[in-house]
Amino acid sequence: MDLPSYKDSSCCSPSEEGRKSHHSDQVKNSLVSRLNRIEGQVRGIKGMIEKDVYCDDVLNQIASVQSTLNGVGKLLLEHHLKSCVIERIQEGDTEVLTELIITMNKLMK
């Protein structure tokens, strides 16, 4: 599923509740759809455990979920870099780079 152009919407705009992302409906629907599939996969793994499915089969399913979740993270990170980060740097907010490095370190654990 392709994501739309990053110029479709502004990201990380200040609001009364703090910073918020402003994803287009297409981006949001894509991310939610992927997360719904992951949720179903996790429920499937739970069922496998409950049914005493062979450990290697369960571990392979866990690896699949981790890979899919990493894919969601990559898409979100790409969108964040191409919109939020660029926007904040253009506004003179270089603190976003420190924030980004901390976040990327968490993602790479």
Side-chain angles (χ1 to χ4, degrees):
M1 194 176 280
D2 292 327
L3 295 179
S5 167
Y6 297 102
K7 296 179 180 165
D8 289 349
S9 62
S10 173
C11 188
C12 298
S13 297
S15 71
E16 292 176 13
E17 301 115 26
R19 293 181 307 185
K20 280 187 146 183
S21 289
H22 299 286
H23 303 292
S24 70
D25 287 341
Q26 184 179 359
V27 170
K28 196 180 301 186
N29 289 340
S30 173
L31 292 169
V32 168
S33 175
R34 290 166 186 261
L35 291 168
N36 285 338
R37 282 194 298 271
I38 292 166
E39 186 177 21
Q41 287 177 298
V42 170
R43 279 194 306 272
I45 291 170
K46 179 182 175 190
M48 292 172 78
I49 298 288
E50 291 170 345
K51 294 176 186 171
D52 295 320
V53 171
Y54 184 59
C55 296
D56 190 59
D57 294 337
V58 176
L59 291 168
N60 282 314
Q61 287 301 310
I62 289 171
S64 176
V65 169
Q66 288 172 330
S67 176
T68 307
L69 191 54
N70 285 339
V72 170
K74 287 176 188 177
L75 286 173
L76 196 53
L77 179 60
E78 181 181 344
H79 187 274
H80 182 59
L81 287 169
K82 290 182 176 180
S83 57
C84 303
V85 173
I86 287 175
E87 181 180 305
R88 288 179 58 192
I89 289 172
Q90 289 172 340
E91 293 170 355
D93 180 4
T94 57
E95 182 63 27
V96 70
L97 296 175
T98 302
E99 175 185 280
L100 179 62
I101 290 167
I102 291 168
T103 298
M104 289 181 69
N105 283 331
K106 289 177 184 176
L107 286 171
M108 292 182 184
K109 280 187 179 181

